[in-house]
């Protein structure tokens, strides 16, 4: 146990100032933890508790630790969650701000431990690091495929510029939910309907999508077309659906004559 006390004291001294982290004391910590990986979480829990007792915030503490030990992100955030379960989003954001490369690991742990908070975790993560939206959406859909429509809608709503990237991720992870998710997005965000249809056109008519079985019925396409029309998308902007065989000519005509209802 002596090494724990020594390394803990050294790291606490080093982390009192973020500019002093990489000291010979921190190097001692590096060497010590390598010899006992099973105790990492307990060690980080002790470190975090000591920092909080010294009036450090949980966010600053997590940032300092992950900034210097990103390879231990899973141990650090798990320990932080144990101590401050009321600050889940803050811990996720702090970890990602310290080292964006740990995004997948941190979001995965957070959703696994707190599935009821998955939507707020996803939203916070996307807002913090939109460049990692593929990783965030991937792990969210893998963890909670039953919430695909909500996850995709929130991703599109928060960063419409990443819509095509979101679609590709959704097509890979939950292909059977992709169209219903887009329909719900159009319904919830009518002002973005035209741009969403444009992105969909680029996505569905690309040659590399031919081998993917989306299991989308004609009725699904009809409902999406009707929703798009009601959100202000013009007939001309939807004619590609007929050309690609997703919607019948008669169906499109009825929709724009208001003769076909849900």
């Amino acid at each position: 146990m002596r090494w724990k006390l020594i390394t803990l004291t050294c790291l606490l001294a080093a982390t009192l100032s973020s500019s002093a982290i990489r000291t010979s004391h921190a190097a001692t910590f590096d060497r010590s933890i390598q010899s006992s990986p099973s105790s990492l979480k307990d060690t980080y829990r002790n470190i975090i508790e000591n920092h909080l007792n010294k009036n450090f915030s949980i966010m600053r503490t997590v940032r300092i630790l992950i900034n210097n030990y990103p390879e231990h992100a899973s141990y650090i955030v798990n320990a932080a969650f144990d101590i401050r379960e009321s600050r889940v989003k803050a811990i996720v954001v702090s970890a990602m701000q310290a080292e964006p490369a740990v995004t997948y690991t941190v979001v995965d742990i957070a959703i696994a431990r707190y599935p009821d908070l998955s939507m707020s975790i996803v939203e916070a993560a996307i807002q913090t690091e939109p460049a990692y939206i593929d990783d965030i959406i991937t792990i969210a859909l893998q963890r909670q495929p039953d919430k695909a429509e909500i996850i995709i809608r929130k991703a599109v709503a928060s960063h419409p510029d990443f819509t095509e990237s979101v679609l590709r991720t959704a097509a890979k992870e939950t292909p059977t939910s992709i169209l219903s998710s887009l329909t719900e997005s159009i319904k919830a965000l009518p002002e973005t309907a035209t741009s969403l249809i444009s992105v969909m056109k680029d996505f569905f008519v690309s040659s590399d999508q031919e081998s993917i079985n989306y299991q989308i019925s004609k009725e699904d396409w009809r409902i999406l077309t009707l929703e798009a029309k009601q959100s202000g998308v013009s007939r001309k902007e939807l004619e590609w659906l007929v050309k690609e065989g997703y919607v019948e000519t008669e169906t499109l005509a009825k929709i724009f004559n208001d003769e076909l209802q849900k």
Side-chain angles (χ1 to χ4, degrees):
M1 293 294 292
R2 185 180 178 186
W3 73 268
K4 288 186 180 180
L5 296 176
I6 293 173
T7 55
L8 178 58
T9 301
C10 290
L11 188 62
L12 285 172
T15 56
L16 287 176
S17 170
S18 58
S19 63
I21 288 281
R22 299 308 297 181
T23 64
S24 59
H25 295 308
T28 300
F29 179 77
D30 286 337
R31 291 191 297 271
S32 299
I33 56 179
Q34 288 173 6
S35 64
S36 185
S38 63
S39 63
L40 278 173
K41 184 179 175 182
D42 289 340
T43 300
Y44 280 117
R45 187 186 293 114
N46 290 335
I47 292 169
I48 293 170
E49 287 177 339
N50 274 275
H51 275 61
L52 296 181
N53 289 337
K54 293 178 182 295
N55 294 320
F56 276 59
S57 70
I58 189 65
M59 294 184 72
R60 183 184 178 190
T61 300
V62 170
R63 276 198 299 267
I64 289 173
L65 291 173
I66 290 187
N67 189 48
N68 288 276
Y69 301 99
E71 68 274 22
H72 298 150
S74 61
Y75 300 99
I76 295 168
V77 297
N78 265 312
F81 289 153
D82 287 348
I83 296 168
R84 287 288 188 273
E85 285 199 321
S86 62
R87 303 300 308 280
V88 172
K89 285 201 301 182
I91 292 168
V92 169
V93 169
S94 299
M96 292 172 59
Q97 288 175 336
E99 179 49 74
V102 305
T103 293
Y104 188 97
T105 297
V106 171
V107 173
D108 187 20
I109 293 170
I111 294 177
R113 287 192 57 162
Y114 307 102
D116 292 344
L117 299 177
S118 61
M119 291 303 100
S120 60
I121 291 169
V122 168
E123 286 184 288
I126 293 175
Q127 291 295 336
T128 303
E129 284 294 340
Y132 282 78
I133 194 168
D134 284 348
D135 284 348
I136 296 166
I137 297 301
T138 294
I139 193 59
L141 292 175
Q142 288 176 351
R143 287 287 182 185
Q144 297 190 314
D146 57 314
K147 294 184 179 179
E149 290 185 4
I150 302 175
I151 293 169
I152 295 169
R153 186 177 75 239
K154 287 185 177 295
V156 170
S158 61
H159 285 83
D161 291 346
F162 287 86
T163 297
E164 186 169 358
S165 181
V166 171
L167 288 185
R168 294 189 181 281
T169 301
K172 179 181 177 181
E173 300 297 334
T174 57
T176 59
S177 300
I178 187 170
L179 204 69
S180 58
S181 300
L182 290 170
T183 301
E184 289 301 313
S185 295
I186 290 172
K187 185 185 300 184
L189 306 162
E191 68 279 6
T192 68
T194 299
S195 61
L196 280 175
I197 292 297
S198 177
V199 172
M200 283 179 60
K201 178 181 178 181
D202 292 339
F203 180 78
F204 280 102
V205 302
S206 61
S207 59
D208 60 344
Q209 301 303 316
E210 292 178 357
S211 61
I212 300 178
N213 180 14
Y214 296 110
Q215 298 180 8
I216 300 173
S217 69
K218 292 285 187 180
E219 178 64 8
D220 290 335
W221 282 110
R222 184 191 72 80
I223 293 173
L224 180 137
T225 305
L226 180 57
E227 205 63 62
K229 183 258 183 181
Q230 292 177 340
S231 296
V233 182
S234 70
R235 178 170 181 164
K236 183 176 180 180
E237 290 167 318
L238 291 168
E239 286 178 350
W240 65 273
L241 294 168
V242 175
K243 182 179 179 181
E244 295 299 320
Y246 298 129
V247 174
E248 301 295 335
T249 301
E250 296 78 6
T251 299
L252 188 65
K254 288 181 179 179
I255 287 175
F256 277 87
N257 287 328
D258 293 327
E259 295 176 10
L260 198 64
Q261 301 297 320
K262 286 187 183 179

